[in-house]
Amino acid sequence: MRSLLRPLRGLHSSAPLLHLVGPPNPISHIRPIIYDDVPPPPPPSRLQHPYSLAEFDPAPPAGSTVHDIEMRLQRNEIDKLDESFWHDSNIRFESGKEAVLASLPPTASALDKEDALSEFYRQWVMQETDRTNAYTLEWRARNLACITEAARAMLSKFGKKVTFG
């Protein structure tokens, strides 16, 4: 099997990216992606500056295009949207659940708690349907835009490599 894959490996024009997944956020439960194509932060400096110089990359990586940069920016915005939505949703869910449990008398049985939580879950799903649907539509639209930008970046790079004549 390895001998069959070895000739295909010669088709790769660059080293594969190794994106990593970090530990989950304790509130949003989202595992952040640590992207391999992000330049490392600059070494610490003693100079005070009003802006984060790490935001401004004076020399983009060799071979990167405007489409690469736009795709990375869009990808970061999608990650922020995802983290923000689930962070807010989970905080509100947990506080609602705690309020339901706190409203029960101390002598409430496990069945009473189960019934109260079951009703809370039903109400939560109904209450959050519109918000979740709006988030899902936004997330899909942003992902489609990011995929489109990534395709443009790949086509741009391919166009630079292919020459006729």
Side-chain angles (χ1 to χ4, degrees):
M1 183 66 169
R2 280 185 176 248
S3 62
L4 293 175
L5 295 178
R6 196 166 280 147
L8 294 176
R9 196 155 188 93
L11 297 176
H12 293 286
S13 61
S14 61
L17 297 177
L18 302 172
H19 301 314
L20 304 174
V21 178
N25 179 298
I27 297 172
S28 70
H29 305 292
I30 298 293
R31 296 176 64 102
I33 300 172
I34 303 164
Y35 296 104
D36 191 29
D37 58 356
V38 176
S45 171
R46 293 178 190 223
L47 297 175
Q48 295 295 323
H49 200 281
Y51 300 104
S52 169
L53 295 178
E55 292 180 40
F56 307 103
D57 188 7
S64 76
T65 65
V66 173
H67 299 295
D68 287 324
I69 295 167
E70 183 63 30
M71 185 271 305
R72 287 187 194 114
L73 290 172
Q74 288 179 1
R75 179 182 67 190
N76 289 342
E77 289 302 313
I78 292 168
D79 289 347
K80 287 178 191 174
L81 172 74
D82 201 32
E83 174 65 32
S84 172
F85 176 83
W86 289 111
H87 186 270
D88 176 58
S89 183
N90 288 348
I91 284 177
R92 291 182 311 103
F93 177 83
E94 289 299 327
S95 66
K97 187 170 93 171
E98 288 172 14
V100 166
L101 291 174
S103 71
L104 295 174
T107 59
S109 68
L111 185 59
D112 293 336
K113 290 178 184 178
E114 188 177 316
D115 288 342
L117 286 176
S118 180
E119 179 60 24
F120 167 71
Y121 295 150
R122 186 184 69 76
Q123 288 178 355
W124 176 263
V125 169
M126 288 174 25
Q127 165 192 319
E128 293 296 305
T129 297
D130 291 341
R131 184 174 182 271
T132 304
N133 288 344
Y135 159 76
T136 301
L137 287 173
E138 178 70 18
W139 185 83
R140 287 178 179 169
R142 288 188 186 197
N143 268 295
L144 183 59
C146 189
I147 290 168
T148 302
E149 204 60 45
R152 287 182 182 139
M154 290 178 71
L155 286 172
S156 173
K157 287 178 184 176
F158 181 72
K160 289 178 182 178
K161 290 181 182 179
V162 174
T163 58
F164 298 100

